[in-house]
Amino acid sequence: MTDTILEPAIENPPVAFTQDHIGWTAWLQPLAEEDLNDRHYEALVDKARAKSPYFALLARDPDILQARTKTDNDIFYNTKDGLPRAERELSATAASRLNGCILCASVHSRFASQHSKRSEGVQKLLDEGVSADLGERWNAIVAASVALSATPPVFGTVHVVRLRKAGLADEEISDLIHSASFFNWANRLMLSLGEPTPAAAA
């Protein structure tokens, strides 16, 4: 396996949380596009992900990647009912901000801004951290996401009560729990496999 380990030669890696596009490089060799077979593409679900070094690396275990991708898609794109997409993305952003995953925070903060039209509030979360005052509904969502992402998790009745007082229905709270919990796990996976890079190196 030593020939698959990449040299960590990233110059000026991103160190600040941002809504800008940034890149990511793996510490292990992702699969090359020409080496992907039908099973890999089935696991990727979206063929465009073959160009992502992160997903091309995860494609080394297509069964796990397929389960991961379908779970991700269902949590964030199945928004006919429950929590609005913007607040699912806010929850993922809060988890990523707490965990220090600059790449995940950049992706999900852009989606949170796009769907909420509250770019300044999202940027405040990135700049000031998870204690930023974003208004009670968003504060409750961020607090719950942080509690779910803590080690060990400290999410409990007090967070559910606060979310209900902020106007969230039970099915919306369920969506928030899934969003934050999934990205708490996804952050840790990404942070253990590589590092963010400037956009030009993406």
Side-chain angles (χ1 to χ4, degrees):
M1 284 291 290
T2 55
D3 61 336
T4 66
I5 298 176
L6 303 181
E7 288 294 324
I10 305 304
E11 294 185 6
N12 302 314
V15 295
F17 289 91
T18 177
Q19 295 187 58
D20 293 339
H21 288 268
I22 59 175
W24 186 83
T25 189
W27 293 326
L28 298 173
Q29 186 66 52
L31 289 176
E33 263 191 273
E34 59 268 23
D35 294 330
L36 298 175
N37 57 34
D38 289 344
R39 179 67 190 101
H40 293 129
Y41 280 112
E42 181 184 16
L44 287 164
V45 180
D46 178 355
K47 286 190 174 183
R49 289 184 169 185
K51 298 187 181 300
S52 160
Y54 179 62
F55 290 110
L57 177 59
L58 297 187
R60 289 187 174 276
D61 192 328
D63 292 338
I64 291 177
L65 173 58
Q66 186 170 18
R68 179 223 178 274
T69 303
K70 287 185 173 182
T71 301
D72 185 358
N73 287 352
D74 195 45
I75 290 171
F76 290 96
Y77 294 94
N78 185 8
T79 56
K80 181 179 178 181
D81 299 305
L83 197 66
R85 172 76 183 278
E87 293 174 339
R88 299 181 195 212
E89 299 292 352
L90 177 70
S91 179
T93 302
S96 302
R97 181 63 175 82
L98 179 75
N99 289 327
C101 191
I102 293 174
L103 187 281
C104 291
S106 76
V107 172
H108 292 279
S109 64
R110 287 197 302 275
F111 282 130
S113 289
Q114 174 190 339
H115 290 282
S116 70
K117 311 303 182 189
R118 290 183 56 185
S119 180
E120 289 184 4
V122 174
Q123 189 61 45
K124 187 175 184 180
L125 170 62
L126 296 179
D127 292 342
E128 298 182 14
V130 296
S131 62
D133 184 2
L134 308 175
E136 180 51 25
R137 182 178 171 100
W138 275 24
N139 288 349
I141 289 171
V142 170
S145 302
V146 166
L148 286 159
S149 302
T151 305
V154 293
F155 180 84
T157 302
V158 65
H159 299 95
V160 174
V161 170
R162 185 178 181 185
L163 289 165
R164 286 175 175 160
K165 286 183 178 178
L168 277 74
D170 286 353
E171 62 270 22
E172 292 179 306
I173 295 172
S174 176
D175 288 334
L176 184 157
I177 291 170
H178 287 109
S179 301
S181 299
F182 181 84
F183 257 86
N184 182 43
W185 169 82
N187 294 156
R188 293 162 195 262
L189 178 63
M190 176 165 270
L191 288 166
S192 70
L193 294 176
E195 61 188 311
T197 66

